[in-house]
Amino acid sequence: MRTVVHVSDLHFGRTRPELLAPLLNSIEAAAPDLVAVSGDLTQRARAGQFAAAGRFLAALPKPVLVVPGNHDVPLDAVWTRLFRPWRRYRRRIEQELEPCFRDDEIVVAGINTVTPFAWQRGWITRRAAARACAAFAGAGRRTRIVVTHHPFVHAPDQAHKALMRGSARSLRALAECGADIFLSGHLHSWRADLHRPLVSDLGPVLLIQAGTGLSTRLRGESNDYNVLRIEPGAVTIRRFAADEAASGFRCIAEKRFVREERGWRAWP
């Protein structure tokens, strides 16, 4: 069994500082084999915000896999956003924008869905999907996980928001090359649902969103993060949310899915 912690949308520069220690303590207590961070580490991609995010990442249990979010490129510094969008991110966070992780039970491929030219919406290219598929090559019976900032599919109550460009095409391509689980953030709302890509011979994939781990930018939900317990042929997702006193995080929801020959199904 593998334990993957999924945290997103930290937004250093607009955080709840009283939650910092409780979040780190709760994640450490989960004893993760991997911590996946799905973007928006900063609020405005400023040097001090990246420094604070870097300190947080350094305090997390290792290994940590991080992909950028749209807030991690400068919005108000247009020249930097267009010509050197990743300078501060690479200096303080990670050189690799699309990192991968592999062990005996899981393969995790990070995809950068941020484009400086469509700052909010995002974009996933054919090449990015192909790189993730290459990372899954030879994975055998390992569980294959994709980590992006932008979700591939929006929940019905978010249908008015524009999906990232290339989402449907890339979701099909990734499902065809064996991707099982898709982790994302961006919308500051929690979700763990099945979705069938628009290909008739493929079963459902599992879409998991985390809300915001630390930000004050709450949208009717609590600060939260996910813990995935991954076994051969099954995964349990637990949502941990901050309590009202901001003294800790507790499990407030749990879903379990089993993987059969034709994809995932909810259990029971």
Side-chain angles (χ1 to χ4, degrees), residues 16-240:
R16 299 177 63 190
E18 70 275 17
L19 284 180
L20 184 59
L23 179 58
L24 286 170
N25 291 338
S26 185
I27 290 174
E28 184 175 4
D33 298 290
L34 176 70
V35 179
V37 185
S38 54
D40 275 3
L41 285 83
T42 67
Q43 177 64 16
R44 282 288 176 262
R46 293 179 178 140
Q49 296 170 7
F50 275 123
R55 290 191 293 270
F56 175 84
L57 296 179
L60 288 171
K62 305 297 184 292
V64 178
L65 182 148
V66 188
V67 296
N70 56 291
H71 279 261
D72 297 323
V73 295
L75 175 63
D76 48 3
V78 177
W79 189 94
T80 302
R81 174 159 56 92
L82 295 180
F83 297 104
R84 302 184 72 177
W86 306 114
R87 180 179 59 176
R88 292 173 181 170
Y89 182 93
R90 284 182 158 137
R91 181 180 297 168
R92 293 288 191 173
I93 304 302
E94 171 65 65
Q95 284 290 316
E96 178 57 61
L97 301 179
E98 296 186 322
C100 296
F101 173 85
R102 176 188 290 250
D103 68 10
D104 292 339
E105 296 188 25
I106 61 175
V107 181
V108 186
I111 300 177
N112 177 19
T113 58
V114 179
T115 169
F117 304 102
W119 180 80
Q120 178 70 22
R121 183 179 179 184
W123 182 23
I124 180 167
T125 65
R126 288 182 172 87
R127 287 185 178 181
R131 285 192 293 269
C133 286
F136 294 146
R141 296 182 62 83
R142 296 175 178 90
T143 301
R144 301 164 176 88
I145 303 171
V146 173
V147 182
T148 60
H149 178 61
H150 297 85
F152 286 83
V153 179
H154 289 169
D157 62 345
Q158 300 159 341
H160 62 287
K161 296 180 179 292
L163 281 169
M164 64 175 168
R165 291 176 55 196
S167 57
R169 176 196 68 229
S170 296
L171 181 62
R172 291 195 298 269
L174 290 162
E176 286 174 343
C177 74
D180 298 299
I181 299 172
F182 294 77
L183 305 181
S184 65
H186 185 55
L187 297 176
H188 294 207
S189 62
W190 184 80
R191 184 185 187 192
D193 287 321
L194 297 174
H195 178 77
R196 184 181 293 274
L198 299 178
V199 181
S200 60
D201 59 343
L202 290 175
V205 295
L206 182 54
L207 306 178
I208 302 173
Q209 284 176 206
T212 169
L214 289 172
S215 176
T216 61
R217 302 177 71 227
L218 300 172
R219 296 170 184 166
E221 298 190 16
S222 302
N223 294 94
D224 69 8
Y225 75 95
N226 296 318
V227 176
L228 285 68
R229 306 286 188 188
I230 302 170
E231 312 163 53
V235 59
T236 301
I237 304 107
R238 295 189 176 105
R239 180 191 182 197
F240 283 78

Side-chain angles (χ1 to χ4, degrees), residues 4-23:
V4 175
V5 162
H6 171 215
V7 63
S8 194
D9 294 81
L10 300 166
H11 287 282
F12 279 93
R14 193 170 171 179
T15 58
R16 299 177 63 190
E18 70 275 17
L19 284 180
L20 184 59
L23 179 58

